[in-house]
Structures are given as C-alpha cells and as structure tokens.
Amino acid sequence: MAESVIVNDVGPRDGLQNQPRILEPQQRLQLIAGIREAGVDSIEVGSFVSPKAVPAMAGTDIVAAGLQGLPAGHYSALIPNLRGYELARDAGVNTVVMVLYGSEGMARKNVNMGREEADAVTETILQRAREDGIAVIATIGVAFECPFDGPVDPGLVADVAARFLQLGVARFVVADTIGAANPQQVRELTRRLVASHGAQRLGCHFHDTRALGLANVYAALESGIRYFDASIAGLGGCPFAPGASGNVATEDVVMLLQQLGFATGVDLEKLLAASDLAETLTGTAPGGRAKAWLKPWLAKQHS
Ligand code: COA
Ligand code: ZN
C-alpha cells in the first residue's frame, strides 16, 4: 500500500486574501466545492480577520455555513486572535488555524501584536478550544526569513514547536510565508523537528516566490513530513509581507507526490478543473507549472 500524504488546500484563504478581485461567499464556496470534488478533503476555507484589514475574507461565516452542503471533510479557518477564535466558533468551525510568528516585525505588521503576545494568546485559545471541542492547528509564519527582520533562528522555531506540540495543538505547521527558504534549510529544520517529535503532527507551508516551492516540499518529504499546505492554481500571498507571492500550487504538489508513489486521494483531472475554476473566478493564476503538461498527458491517457 502506498504511503499517504495529506495535501491541505489553502487557496480559498491564502489564495484569495490577496487577489485584486474580491469574490462573493457563494463563489468562494463554489471553489471549495470544486477542490473537494477533486478528492482534496483538507481545505482552509477562509479567515476570521478584520474585514478592514483583509476585505476579501469578509463573509467567512457565510462560507462556513455553506460547508453543510458539501461532502464531509477537514475544513479549517484561519484566526489571528481571540476575537477571530470566537467568530470561528460561533460560525460552527471545528478546526482553527492560529498564526504564530518567527519574528517580531511580522507579528507587528500582521496583527499588531508582539511575537510572544501571539504565543500567549494562542495558549488561551488552546484552553478555550479544548472546552469547546475545537481542534487548533498552529502555523508559524516567517519560519525561515522575515521581510522586516531578516533570517530567523531555527532554534526559535524549534522551541515554539516544542512548546505548542506539548500544549496539544492538533498540528504544528512551519510556514515560509515569503518563499525565502532553500531546501537545505528546510531539510535541517524539518529533520530536527521530526527527530524531536515524530512527523505525525507536523506540516509545511511553502510559497513558490523563487521557484523553490517544490524543491522545499521534496526536502521536507525526505525528512518524513507528510502534510503540506498548497494552493489551487498557485494563488496566494500575504498582503502584509512584501515580496510574498503565490503558494506552491496544489496541482504541482499532487503531481510530484503521485510521481513519487504517494497516495493523495486526489483525482488530478478534477483538480485541474478546480484550477481552471480558480483562474476563471479570480482572473489571475500566478503559479502552477504542472497544468500545461498534465492536460495533454491526461487527454492522451484517455485516447
Ligand atoms: N475579526 C474581525 N474583526 C476583528 C478581529 C477579527 N479577528 N479582531 C479584531 N477585530 C476588529 C475589532 O472588533 C475592532 O473593530 P472596530 O474598529 O469596529 O471596533 C477592529 O477590528 C480593531 O481591533 P483591534 O483589536 O484594535 O485590532 P487592530 O486594529 O490592532 O488589528 C487585527 C488587528 C488582527 C484585527 C487585524 O490586523 C487583522 O485582522 N489582521 C489579519 C491579518 C491577516 O489576515 N493576515 C494574513 C493571514 S496570516
Ligand atoms: Zn502562506
């Protein structure tokens, strides 16, 4: 039996938050449905953040309510603070993704908090979530390099990971928010984390800013990481991190995993249809190299 890897599509959040075209909640749901239809059953559907800060994510409560009409799946929503937690809980979300930071500069720019303040808020959220029966994924942003403060000490990321895995997060995700990491750094950090904690509750999140997205996925895979964030059609980028471009594309990651013999549960043909939908809805599709090759290749398989 092939070993499984989870691909968590963050396109409906990371992908859409920074698009010039703002989608209606129904259009966002249509995209989520397309991704789910392709067999991706882990999807970050939106965020509960200030609509002034990120107008594209207004109405995530409507998106969350609409998930009822979709096949069951691991649907999650990003939160930046306690208020976000409360909004997500009230909207019926059962997995929240709380953001931690590798740097002071990014924490300030993104949520107007200090790095340690975000850690402390996350501890409070974990306590509340335990009582409410909600799972918490912790994602540490700018885990390799910060656009404001420069390189991040891997020791700091390792310390934060140890603390929150011990506190009971469902998963700890290392995020290269601006796509500045190289495979050597990824290998070292992920090996270190896997050696200390096992891979079961770890994950990685890469952006393809300088074409190292898939190389970084590969490096993390070699360390034993079996959970990756990716974004349909390579959409994405943080509005508060200068230089951040799209996430590594879901179709690229799934193609890589399938070629390496991993099971993903994803139907590539349907995934390409979701990618086309993402392009149509947003009018932009910055990333994704696999599609141009896969389309004729899949057509040939059928003929
Ligand atoms: N969702 C919706 N509204 C929120 C909120 C949340 N999670 N947290 C705070 N607010 C509201 C407050 O109620 C307040 O509303 P008001 O102006 O109507 O009174 C307003 O936002 C300001 O609240 P304050 O606590 O002073 O926050 P701030 O101005 O320091 O901004 C954030 C902090 C976190 C609200 C804002 O920076 C934000 O939403 N950032 C998200 C960034 C993001 O999504 N980045 C990309 C993903 S990592
Ligand atoms: Zn991201």
Side-chain angles (χ1 to χ4, degrees), residues 31-43 70-75 274:
L31 180 60
I32 294 162
I35 296 166
R36 181 67 192 84
E37 172 70 17
V40 178
D41 72 353
S42 190
I43 305 176
L70 301 188
H74 301 279
Y75 298 111

Side-chain angles (χ1 to χ4, degrees), residues 10 13-14 17 175-177 205 207 237-238 247:
V10 298
R13 195 278 302 170
D14 209 344
Q17 72 186 6
D176 179 21
T177 308
H205 173 118
H207 283 255
C238 176
N247 289 80

Side-chain angles (χ1 to χ4, degrees), residues 13 17 47-54 78 80-81 83-85 87 99 101 109-113 238-240:
R13 195 278 302 170
Q17 72 186 6
S47 56
F48 290 90
V49 300
S50 160
K52 280 181 208 146
V54 188
L78 182 138
N81 57 14
R83 176 93 187 101
Y85 172 76
L87 291 169
V99 190
Y101 302 90
K109 262 287 190 294
N110 202 43
V111 286
N112 197 21
M113 270 193 236
C238 176
F240 307 102

Side-chain angles (χ1 to χ4, degrees), residues 11-224:
R13 195 278 302 170
D14 209 344
L16 296 182
Q17 72 186 6
N18 201 23
Q19 292 300 309
R21 194 184 289 172
I22 292 181
L23 304 190
E24 295 299 326
Q26 285 314 319
Q27 294 174 304
R28 292 162 60 190
L29 270 167
Q30 199 191 343
L31 180 60
I32 294 162
I35 296 166
R36 181 67 192 84
E37 172 70 17
V40 178
D41 72 353
S42 190
I43 305 176
E44 195 170 294
V45 300
S47 56
F48 290 90
V49 300
S50 160
K52 280 181 208 146
V54 188
M57 289 292 109
T60 296
D61 52 340
I62 301 168
V63 173
L67 297 173
Q68 308 275 359
L70 301 188
H74 301 279
Y75 298 111
S76 62
L78 182 138
I79 57 169
N81 57 14
L82 204 50
R83 176 93 187 101
Y85 172 76
E86 287 163 354
L87 291 169
R89 179 199 57 202
D90 295 349
V93 169
N94 50 32
T95 303
V96 294
V97 181
M98 175 64 187
V99 190
L100 302 168
Y101 302 90
S103 75
E104 199 60 28
M106 194 64 220
R108 283 267 158 239
K109 262 287 190 294
N110 202 43
V111 286
N112 197 21
M113 270 193 236
R115 192 183 67 72
E116 291 181 0
E117 201 182 343
D119 287 356
V121 169
T122 305
E123 272 208 57
T124 307
I125 288 172
L126 270 166
Q127 282 166 9
R128 300 262 184 102
R130 201 168 296 122
E131 291 158 16
D132 296 335
I134 291 175
V136 179
I137 294 174
T139 289
I140 183 161
V142 293
F144 296 90
E145 188 169 323
C146 168
F148 310 107
D149 300 355
V152 169
D153 172 16
L156 181 145
V157 179
D159 288 348
V160 177
R163 175 174 169 193
F164 285 96
L165 285 164
Q166 214 270 327
L167 283 169
V169 291
R171 194 174 291 280
F172 187 87
V173 176
V174 173
D176 179 21
T177 308
I178 58 171
N182 68 51
Q184 186 58 31
Q185 294 168 308
V186 171
R187 174 172 292 125
E188 282 170 17
L189 181 58
T190 52
R191 269 192 189 161
R192 178 174 178 172
L193 295 176
V194 172
S196 302
H197 311 289
Q200 185 93 28
R201 285 193 290 148
L202 295 174
C204 285
H205 173 118
F206 296 115
H207 283 255
D208 204 21
T209 315
R210 46 181 194 147
L212 290 181
L214 271 197
N216 287 334
V217 169
Y218 188 73
L221 266 175
E222 286 204 308
S223 302

